[in-house]
């Protein structure tokens, strides 16, 4: 299996870490009754287009409407998703969001000079410091992290400067891959180099605990510059995501 195929499999399965799943002949239905505000926790992906697509989409709609949430379908990295499935969804009243995301893997040492007094620590439960970084109004994000933080393959990392929590990032490890997610600097601590310090610490932390391929994706030019500085290289792979 190629690296893009491994990443696609990881991405498709990732919501299992914080949501339940029902498997159908056309794909998977993720849901979390305790976090209905989270789109990542409540969406379908299609993995087989050799079915009655109208009936399958109707089944998706009924499933999520019964939960009391708007039906959502995520890209499943399968051939025909853009050319066959998306037009069918649009014809049935769905709206689309096109995602211009680039994928990167860590390939070389960081060029960043660490911030003096910066320290990275792993935490294993949702606490007030994490809530303050993300913001208490982001209840859906906090609901996802609450489910993930206690898992042994999820490393929730908080960055501190002189003992003050300033940022947060997450690494999920499984089957030879490690996924970076949720990189956040608390608004009042931004533009002070802490994002770079956080990513510098993250790649060194990962190197100490795993030989997995470390990857992430982004469409934010400012974030991409930081990722490049800490040693990430863009993959020659750009799936048409929506």
């Amino acid at each position: 299996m190629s690296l893009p195929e491994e990443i696609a499999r990881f991405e498709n399965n990732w919501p299992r870490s914080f949501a339940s799943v029902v498997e159908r002949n056309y794909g998977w239905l993720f849901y979390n009754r305790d976090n209905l505000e989270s789109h990542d926790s409540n969406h379908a992906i299609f993995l087989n287009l050799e079915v009655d697509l109208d009936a399958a989409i109707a089944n998706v709609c009924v499933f999520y409407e019964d939960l009391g949430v708007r039906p959502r379908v995520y890209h499943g990295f399968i051939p025909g998703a853009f050319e066959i499935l998306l037009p069918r969804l649009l014809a049935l009243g769905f709206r689309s969001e096109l995602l211009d995301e680039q994928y990167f893997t860590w390939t070389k040492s960081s060029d960043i000079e660490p911030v003096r007094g910066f320290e990275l620590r792993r935490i294993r439960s949702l606490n007030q410091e994490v809530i303050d970084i993300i913001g208490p109004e982001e209840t859906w994000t906090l609901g996802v992290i609450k489910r993930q933080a206690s898992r042994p393959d999820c490393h929730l990392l908080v960055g501190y400067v002189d003992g003050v929590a300033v940022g947060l990032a997450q690494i999920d490890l499984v089957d030879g891959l490690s996924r970076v997610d949720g990189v956040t600097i608390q608004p009042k601590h931004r533009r002070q180099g802490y994002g770079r310090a956080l990513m510098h610490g993250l790649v060194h932390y990962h190197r100490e605990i795993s030989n997995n391929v470390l990857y992430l994706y982004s469409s934010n030019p400012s974030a991409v510059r930081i990722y490049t500085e800490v040693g990430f290289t863009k993959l020659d792979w750009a799936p048409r995501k929506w």
Side-chain angles (χ1 to χ4, degrees):
M1 184 179 296
S2 68
L3 180 57
E5 289 173 330
E6 291 180 6
I7 291 175
R9 183 179 65 176
F10 196 159
E11 289 294 314
N12 284 342
N13 278 281
W14 178 66
R16 292 177 185 265
S17 65
F18 50 86
S20 301
V21 61
V22 173
E23 298 190 2
R24 301 284 198 233
N25 68 329
Y26 56 83
W28 300 336
L29 301 161
F30 293 104
Y31 69 98
N32 183 344
R33 298 180 188 277
D34 297 325
N35 193 11
L36 296 178
E37 295 179 359
S38 168
H39 301 162
D40 288 345
S41 301
N42 299 277
H43 70 269
I45 62 170
F46 278 71
L47 301 173
N48 176 21
L49 301 184
E50 299 298 321
V51 296
D52 183 336
L53 287 178
D54 289 341
I57 294 169
N59 184 259
V60 168
C61 292
V62 169
F63 182 87
Y64 289 106
E65 287 167 356
D66 285 347
L67 282 178
V69 299
R70 179 175 294 177
R72 295 181 183 274
V73 178
Y74 277 24
H75 188 283
F77 296 95
I78 59 171
F82 197 93
E83 299 82 3
I84 300 172
L85 179 58
L86 182 57
R88 188 68 61 91
L89 290 167
L90 295 175
L92 293 173
F94 282 75
R95 292 181 297 174
S96 69
E97 178 185 4
L98 301 180
L99 305 176
D100 183 21
E101 295 171 341
Q102 304 173 67
Y103 284 75
F104 300 80
T105 57
W106 187 68
T107 60
K108 56 186 178 180
S109 298
S110 170
D111 293 330
I112 289 177
E113 186 72 24
V115 172
R116 186 174 181 179
F118 187 90
E119 179 188 3
L120 197 64
R121 305 177 199 164
R122 182 185 182 186
I123 64 172
R124 299 178 184 271
S125 62
L126 184 64
N127 60 28
Q128 190 59 48
E129 291 174 326
V130 174
I131 294 172
D132 289 342
I133 292 169
I134 296 173
E137 70 283 352
E138 294 290 331
T139 54
W140 70 269
T141 303
L142 296 173
V144 169
I145 291 177
K146 184 177 180 180
R147 288 279 292 264
Q148 291 180 309
S150 61
R151 290 176 23 245
D153 56 351
C154 174
H155 293 244
L156 193 60
L157 306 175
V158 176
Y160 297 83
V161 176
D162 297 327
V164 178
V166 299
L168 173 74
Q170 177 180 321
I171 308 175
D172 291 286
L173 294 84
V174 65
D175 297 334
L177 288 179
S178 298
R179 180 188 197 268
V180 180
D181 190 48
V183 180
T184 306
I185 300 298
Q186 194 172 11
K188 66 181 180 181
H189 295 299
R190 292 174 183 169
R191 301 185 183 279
Q192 299 179 60
Y194 297 152
R196 286 177 167 80
L198 179 64
M199 289 303 302
H200 177 84
L202 181 149
V203 296
H204 281 270
Y205 174 89
H206 182 264
R207 187 173 59 185
E208 293 177 356
I209 65 169
S210 175
N211 292 320
N212 283 3
V213 174
L214 182 66
Y215 84 93
L216 54 79
Y217 63 84
S218 179
S219 59
N220 183 321
S222 298
V224 167
R225 282 194 294 271
I226 295 175
Y227 300 150
T228 301
E229 289 177 20
V230 298
F232 283 87
T233 302
K234 185 169 69 171
L235 284 175
D236 186 20
W237 178 59
R240 301 176 72 188
K241 291 181 63 178
W242 42 266

